[in-house]
Amino acid sequence: MSPGPDGPGADGAHTPPSARDEGPAAPRPGRAARRRARRRPPPLPQREGLDPVRWLVPREHEAPRPALEALRARFPALVDPAATPLPRRFADGEIVDPLGRPWRAEDAVGAGDELWFHRELREETVPPVPLTILHRDAHLLVLDKPHDMATMPRGAHVLASALVRLRRATGITDLVPLHRLDRRTAGVLAFGIRPAERAAYQQLFARREVHKQYEARVRPGPSSPLPRTPGERLLLQDRLERPRGALTVRAVAGPPNAQTLLEVVAAEVDGTLRLRLHPRTGRTHQLRAQLSARDAPILGEDLYPQPGPEPPLPLQLLARRLAFEDPVTGEARAFLSAQELAAGPRTLDP
């Protein structure tokens, strides 16, 4: 039988009030989090808010071969004519092992070896758009992300990404996003501050214990089954899959794996609908794909039904609200975006 709230613990000792008042114990970290905790810290410091790259030579790697040759084959960008010559990077000690010891270009590397290095950044214009922080404490930082700002550094959006900009602005080197928003989607984006707490927060999203609310503007076509009257609701259910190597997902036959509750908020004079969306699952591009599949692509869309040039209008999709019970502090958390969806020119393009 479990002891009462003031009874003895499993070891028979009475729990002191100070321990009980500290809030709920954080959930036990998952397997991936425990692996990260056992891993040594990176042998290279962050540079420009970016972590070093770690390449663990895979088990299926062929026979050992010189480090320079192996790295060149795995990361062709390292031998781009505009990049620092790779032999020079080895000679300067920029390619290191997990203990920070430099690899030599001729050293043989094989399965299980680790090579660490910094990526070389292309010239990039960071638009002078201020970062609006909705909340910051010892555990969380919540950003009201603008349209057309990537969450994570990727491709042409590295220094301009939300993660890198926040790390550089706040000095919090351990900052990591707890979930992601598409680059073109604006709104509430939460970051974890303490590495030891990261898994507890990320598991909330994995277990679908975070309540998300989005807003969108669409102009349904004649074949669209979307309701048109404010207050009407519709449950969108689809099976979404992304073919290997594709940028977009598509609705296919099969049991649904994507659910979104849609509510019409307002109807504009030109037939545009303002929608409130409550995704119950978190598939890639879920809202964009589900609406496009119903002949109602979000205004400003550039990927659905097929990739095309970005229109001058920002994607009319906003992550309005994020709410959950904090697994670390026990608090009821709710964060609201202060942005509004409205037609207008893009503001983030350099």
Side-chain angles (χ1 to χ4, degrees), residues 24 55 84 88 151 220 291 293 297 324 343 348:
W55 181 40
T84 302
R88 184 192 304 170
T151 296
L291 289 168
F324 54 87
L348 287 190

Side-chain angles (χ1 to χ4, degrees), residues 130-146 149 162-163 166 170 172 175-179 181 186-193 201 205 210-211 319-324 326 332-339:
L131 299 178
T132 300
I133 295 177
L134 300 173
H135 174 86
R136 178 177 173 180
D137 60 19
H139 312 280
L140 295 171
L141 186 151
V142 183
L143 176 69
D144 201 353
K145 186 181 86 66
M149 177 180 287
L163 176 61
L166 283 171
T170 64
I172 305 174
L175 200 68
V176 292
L178 300 176
H179 59 116
L181 292 179
V188 181
L189 179 61
F191 292 79
I193 292 177
Y201 286 112
F205 290 88
V210 177
H211 304 285
R320 170 65 71 190
R321 185 174 187 268
L322 196 68
F324 54 87
D326 194 302
R333 303 277 202 175
F335 306 108
L336 288 171
S337 171
Q339 301 180 66

